[in-house]
Every structure is written in structure tokens, then in C-alpha cells.
Amino acid sequence: MKQANIRNFSIIAHIDHGKSTLADRIMEQTHTVSERDKKAQLLDDMAVEQAHGITVKSRTVRNHYEADDGQTYEYNFIDTPGHVDFSYEVSKSLAASDGAILLVDATQGVQAQTVANLRLAKQNHLVIIPVINKVDSDAADVSRTQAQIQKLDPAFENLDMLKISAKTGMGVHEVLEAIRTTIPAPTGDKKAPLKALVFDYMYDAFKGIIAYVRLVDGTLKPDDSLVLMAEQTHISANALGYFAPNMTPVNELNAGDVGYVVTGLKDPQLVRVGDTMTSATKPTSQPLAGYEPAKSMVFAGFYPRDNNYNELKSAIEKLALNDSSFHYSLENSEALGAGFRCGFLGMLHLQIIRERLKDEYGLEVLTTAPNVTYHVYLKGQTEPMIVNNPTNFPEFSKIEYVEEPFIKAEITTPNNLLSEVMKLAEKHKSTLLDMDNQADLIVLTYKMPTSEVAYEFFNQLKSVSHGYATLDTTYLDYEIADLVKVEVDINYATVDALSFVVHRQDAPNLTQELVKKLKVAVPRRLYPTPVQAVVEGKAVARVDIPPLRKNAAVSGGKKSISKKQALLRRQGINKRQSAKNSIELPQEVFNAILELDL
């Protein structure tokens, strides 16, 4: 295919505005998929994507379009993930595109995620085609939606916008023509040294890592010697091809093409999203800008149930091979045994990994309290101790000070919900940096501790804004904070897996709330079981879990008081000594911490 007939594009939209449905219609009208293979959400084929209605794994598909001018065009559609946790992957998918379709639901109008995705597209200098969807619905308000879109960008003011129904296919042909006439062809030089963007990858048990690439310059052929520039990793192009949507081998990829490269690598850490691939014999002088390694925002422990450690280890290794943002390492807990310390982009990412373990491998895991990475400066030392596991948080007497990570949070919300959103942000220790208007929406810029955003903030934001607000975060820096480690003792034995780190001012209320939840969640025994939350060596909250029956040593027999007390002391010593090895906790105990408003 000559370069002038190539178009690389994405579709950006708010959740449930019809992005996946439009992608299905494009593939149908370009005859990319046969009648037999048609199904809803064809590219969102993971069970977790179907369940949540969002795109988790980026996909790409090549369509061949017979245009009205009689020529055949190559349309490379690059799908993008659909959640704030995956904003880095979204930006890299957009970087591989030359244009984007801005899809807006006529029944709902412009919403916050619409604005956030438009901002990302403009940062990548993409040509935007606004499209109004669901115009055939009885609830559609096309004129209002068009007016809202026109306020987003001066370039939209005099534009004749496309009006479609992705469900029925009405107007989709006009969209295909607009892609041809509006989005520019790639401008790369086929004869220049190879320069290709790695915007995603997948793992195959037989072929190894398969990198998704967009060629900016140069030509790529099978058996070429290649280099990944971030870590100077040398690889060989075992095979090339494109997705249609299944893997289709080819003998050559040229500047402007989107396809895949079979690298044969078995270690996923050697291939990174955003990296630049070039030739080992004739390398490009400068890598593509904007590369940064994926940073885990939230850490939590995964422990096996029913002693199925080997099955869990195998499943986690396989998930990590296909998810460049998921990191793990081995760890051990006195209470729970061998497990894994896992890093995630956010709480939704954690939830998705848990669901994939259950759906794809039939495994349910015990999940410990999530936390972020802290810099702990010890007395007499200049270099910080990096702590991403509360169990490793040092004793308070050894700590000089602690730094926690901060992020810049951009919240886009409708004007009528401004008060509720600002109250929520203030509740989470945020500092307002800027406020700006964009059409009928307000863009708030806050400086916030990462720990406040990483847990349930996004869900709470969706709740108070009824789904109309969106969140975009970028890392800022580390700053000093007054943090304490909360340890949980059950029957006077510390359960290390239940430890977590919080701001000192939040500790009293959180620990009181926690022990009340644990009173119900911890299994009852034949004797009263005390549960305590300990901060800096002091018990700040306590509750006694009632026994299944009364203690015979206290209520029965005519024994002297001293003999009863001696018996109770011996019982207490034996019980506490055995407690360390006999505590078996259900997931409900860990949920008590996961449900806290940390």
C-alpha cells in the first residue's frame, strides 16, 4: 500500500458513548470481519472488559476500504483503553495515530471523559473529527450536543458535524469518507533509518513477546537485527504482520504502517510501552520523545487460598507477561505464608487483575491493604529507604522523617456539580492549584497525596458527580508527611499482612472503624479473642471478639481464685503462643481494610 493511502486513527469517547459499537460497524462495512465472525464488542474480547464495559487491553486492526474515489485505502484503527488508570497507555495509542474520531452521545452530550480524551488527542497534535452518535434515539438532543462540541474548540465552530447511529450503521459510510478526506497520511521517510514506536505488546507461549509497533520512518523485514533503545535490548524480527483482527503475516512493514513484530523474547521487562525500536546495523540518532517506564501507583499483597501457591504463581507470571503495567515480587507473611507483592496502576487495575485470576484461572486470592511507595529517612542516614510494603516500615524510634508521593490531579466536572466535587477534593487533603472553564465544564487542578487518590477517590468522584466527572493524574514529587504505621494484633499476635500506613490525624478514627469491622469478620473461637490496632507501640483501638461458649475455667467448678487465675495465665500464654501459627483469616478480614476510606 502506498503511503498516501494509509490512515492511522483512534476513536475517543466517554464510557458508553458507542466507541466499541462504531468500531464493529467500521470493520463490518470494510469487510474486515465475515458475517460468521460478527459479534458485539469484537475488540473487547476479555471477560473483564465485557463485564465492566471498558477497554482494558489496547487493540489494533487493519481495514481495507474501497473509497468513493475508486481507490483502496489502508485504515489502521488503534483502540485505546478507557479508564484513568490506563492514561499512559491511552497517550501511547494516540501517539501511534494521525487523527481521532471524537464520538459524543446525542442523548448525553459532552461529558468529562470526552474533554479529557480530547485534551490528550490535542497534546499529540491529532486531527479531530467530531461525530454525534445515537441521533436516532428518542432521547437525542442533536442541536444541544452540537453546540456543546462547538464550545470545546474554535476549530469546531463552523464545522458540519457528522450525525450517525453506530448501532444501525446509519452514517458510518460518511465517517469512513471523512477519515479519508480529513485525517492526513503518514509523513515518514521509507528510506530513513528505522524508527518505530512500541505502543503495546502481547505474550505468546510459543512465539514470546509480540510488540505492537507504528513505523515512523524506515522499513522493517523479517530477520532484521533490531534494538529497543530504552535499555539497548537487542532482538531479531522473527516474523512481521498486522491484525485484521487476527494476526496476518507479511514480508515487509514500511513507514506509516501499524503492525506487530515477533521478538522471541521471554522476559516482559525487556519490552516497554513507549519504547523506540530501531535497526541494530543502521540505528536512528534520536529515539521518539515521551517515553517513560510504567510506574505502579498502588501496591498490595496477593496470597493463595487452599495452599494453591504453585497455581497462583503460574497464573501471576502469565498475567504479567501480557500486562506491562503489572509488576510482582515474592514475599512471605507469618500469618499467610508465601505470597506476592504486586504493583498496580490504580484500584481498578487491582480489581481487574483479581477478576482475571478468578475468570481465567479459577483462583481466588487473599488481598492485603493497598498502599503506595514511601521514602523513609532513618536517623543518621542521608539516603532514603524505599518502602512499598507496610510490613517493612521501620520502627518509629528509628525514623527521622517520611516523604510521600504527590500527584497533580485534573478534574473535569459539569458546572452544577462543582461544589460537591470541591468538597470531595478538600476531604482528601488536596490543594487547589488552578480553575479553568472549558465549554459548560470546569477543569480543576489539584495537588494531592497519591495515597488519597490511589484507593477509592475515583469511585467517589464518579458517585458525587453521577458519572459526569473525570480524573487525569500526573506525578509531581515527594514531600514530607506525618505518617504512622498501624499494626493489627489478633489475640496479642501481630498479623503482619493487615498492617497499613496512614496519616497520623486519620489514625484514631480509622482504627476505631477497623476494629468494629474486624469484630464481625474475624472467626470466633472457644475463648474471647482481643483485636487491637497498635500505633507506635500503643493500642489506640480495641475490641473483644466474643467466644463461641463460656470459658469453663472461669464459670465452672469450685476452685480457689488463685488456682483459677493460674490456670487462666497458663491458658493465655499457650493461646497467644499458638496464635501466631494458627490464625486463619478469610478475605472478609482484609476487605475490612480495603473498605476503609484510607
Side-chain angles (χ1 to χ4, degrees), residues 350-409:
L350 186 155
Q351 180 184 349
I352 285 170
I353 294 295
R354 286 181 63 183
E355 291 185 19
R356 291 188 66 186
L357 285 171
K358 183 177 180 181
D359 296 340
E360 299 174 22
Y361 302 97
L363 295 173
E364 293 195 17
V365 294
L366 297 172
T367 307
T368 64
N371 67 282
V372 299
T373 300
Y374 300 102
H375 289 175
V376 181
Y377 288 82
L378 302 178
K379 293 179 179 177
Q381 295 187 14
T382 57
E383 293 297 320
M385 177 181 178
I386 309 300
V387 178
N388 57 31
N389 186 345
T391 304
N392 299 330
F393 205 82
E395 294 181 16
F396 67 96
S397 60
K398 300 178 180 178
I399 297 175
E400 185 73 31
Y401 61 91
V402 181
E403 292 181 341
E404 70 170 335
F406 277 73
I407 54 97
K408 182 176 75 171

Side-chain angles (χ1 to χ4, degrees), residues 190-488:
K190 181 179 177 180
K191 297 181 180 179
L194 176 65
K195 181 186 290 186
L197 170 68
V198 179
F199 63 89
D200 205 347
Y201 71 77
M202 63 177 287
Y203 182 83
D204 183 274
F206 300 102
K207 299 177 180 178
I209 295 171
I210 301 172
Y212 296 14
V213 295
R214 153 72 193 272
L215 271 67
V216 177
D217 290 318
T219 300
L220 185 55
K221 295 181 179 180
D223 300 322
D224 279 357
S225 295
L226 305 172
V227 175
L228 295 171
M229 298 184 72
E231 300 292 337
Q232 290 298 305
T233 304
H234 288 259
I235 59 175
S236 176
N238 295 343
L240 309 175
Y242 61 87
F243 294 95
N246 297 319
M247 294 174 65
T248 306
V250 294
N251 293 322
E252 186 176 85
L253 291 174
N254 294 304
D257 282 338
V258 175
Y260 66 82
V261 178
V262 178
T263 67
L265 294 174
K266 299 295 184 180
D267 184 358
Q269 301 302 316
L270 297 177
V271 179
R272 304 289 180 85
V273 172
D275 203 348
T276 302
M277 181 183 290
T278 189
S279 170
T281 56
K282 188 181 176 184
T284 183
S285 57
Q286 290 293 328
L288 295 165
Y291 168 74
E292 57 184 59
K295 294 186 178 72
S296 296
M297 298 286 286
V298 176
F299 294 86
F302 278 1
Y303 291 89
R305 289 186 178 180
D306 305 322
N307 296 319
N308 54 356
Y309 173 80
N310 290 330
E311 291 87 343
L312 178 60
K313 180 180 179 182
S314 175
I316 284 180
E317 288 174 346
K318 290 176 182 176
L319 285 179
L321 291 172
N322 281 298
D323 189 342
S324 61
S325 304
F326 172 55
H327 304 110
Y328 71 94
S329 60
L330 303 178
E331 77 170 4
N332 281 280
S333 164
E334 289 186 11
L336 301 177
F340 300 90
R341 195 73 192 165
C342 303
F344 310 92
L345 295 172
M347 286 300 289
L348 177 77
H349 193 201
L350 186 155
Q351 180 184 349
I352 285 170
I353 294 295
R354 286 181 63 183
E355 291 185 19
R356 291 188 66 186
L357 285 171
K358 183 177 180 181
D359 296 340
E360 299 174 22
Y361 302 97
L363 295 173
E364 293 195 17
V365 294
L366 297 172
T367 307
T368 64
N371 67 282
V372 299
T373 300
Y374 300 102
H375 289 175
V376 181
Y377 288 82
L378 302 178
K379 293 179 179 177
Q381 295 187 14
T382 57
E383 293 297 320
M385 177 181 178
I386 309 300
V387 178
N388 57 31
N389 186 345
T391 304
N392 299 330
F393 205 82
E395 294 181 16
F396 67 96
S397 60
K398 300 178 180 178
I399 297 175
E400 185 73 31
Y401 61 91
V402 181
E403 292 181 341
E404 70 170 335
F406 277 73
I407 54 97
K408 182 176 75 171
E410 289 188 351
I411 301 172
T412 308
T413 179
N415 189 27
N416 61 321
L417 298 171
L418 180 62
S419 176
E420 289 82 354
V421 171
M422 293 188 73
K423 286 178 183 177
L424 176 66
E426 290 170 4
K427 176 184 173 185
H428 286 269
K429 304 178 181 66
S430 63
T431 303
L432 181 64
L433 301 178
D434 191 20
M435 182 186 297
D436 190 19
N437 290 352
Q438 192 155 13
D440 295 330
L441 300 168
I442 307 294
V443 181
L444 301 167
T445 305
Y446 283 99
K447 179 181 179 180
M448 305 178 71
T450 303
S451 59
E452 295 291 329
V453 184
Y455 306 136
E456 289 300 311
F457 179 79
F458 186 71
N459 290 338
Q460 293 173 6
L461 178 64
K462 286 294 184 186
S463 178
V464 300
S465 66
H466 313 294
Y468 289 100
T470 188
L471 173 69
D472 186 28
T473 59
T474 53
Y475 169 76
L476 277 180
D477 56 9
Y478 275 79
E479 294 188 9
I480 295 176
D482 190 6
L483 300 164
V484 294
K485 174 183 176 182
V486 176
E487 296 179 305
V488 178

Side-chain angles (χ1 to χ4, degrees), residues 9-13 18-20 22-23 26 77-80 94 99-103:
F9 70 98
S10 299
I11 302 175
I12 53 178
K19 177 168 73 80
S20 296
L22 177 57
I26 289 174
F77 168 55
I78 302 164
D79 201 6
T80 57
L94 292 177
I101 297 171
L102 178 67
L103 193 66

